[in-house]
Amino acid sequence: KAVEQLTASKKGQSIMLPLTSSLYVSGEVDDVEKVLVDIGTGYYVEMTTADAAKYYDRRIKTLHENVGTVQATLRDRQNALMQVQAILQEKIAAQAAASSRS
């Protein structure tokens, strides 16, 4: 969205730039055709706004796929945990019944 909004901006227009998720500084638009894209671990790549938008679309798609994989793994592990808890409860109940008979 930010890249799309930048293309609608004009050179010299005043904008707020995010330095962190909660810290913004004022700045001016210098070039609406090229942007610096944070590709992770402190590396930045200069891209055209169209390439940057495509990059972010691919990144969002990848993140959604990863979330789906993590959710499936989480469900499987929760099911396994419930099975272990059920077996543990059965063993505890059996041991308590055996102790009360003695």
Side-chain angles (χ1 to χ4, degrees):
K1 290 181 181 180
V3 172
E4 292 170 358
Q5 289 175 354
L6 179 65
T7 57
S9 300
K10 297 177 184 169
K11 186 172 182 172
Q13 182 177 350
S14 181
I15 59 172
M16 296 298 289
L17 300 167
L19 293 182
T20 67
S21 62
S22 60
L23 177 63
Y24 288 77
V25 295
S26 63
E28 290 183 1
V29 175
D30 184 45
D31 186 0
V32 294
E33 296 298 319
K34 293 185 180 179
V35 292
L36 284 178
V37 176
D38 182 359
I39 60 171
T41 63
Y43 289 97
Y44 293 86
V45 175
E46 186 176 286
M47 296 182 185
T48 64
T49 52
D51 289 340
K54 290 177 189 175
Y55 169 79
Y56 285 123
D57 287 339
R58 287 191 314 270
R59 183 80 175 124
I60 289 168
K61 181 180 176 186
T62 301
L63 289 173
H64 282 294
E65 290 170 358
N66 290 345
V67 165
T69 302
V70 168
Q71 286 176 337
T73 302
L74 179 61
R75 274 192 304 272
D76 292 343
R77 298 226 173 141
Q78 284 176 333
N79 289 338
L81 176 62
M82 288 190 307
Q83 289 174 352
V84 168
Q85 287 174 332
I87 292 170
L88 182 60
Q89 290 296 329
E90 289 174 11
K91 288 186 178 193
I92 290 172
Q95 188 176 24
S99 295
S100 65
R101 289 184 202 152
S102 304

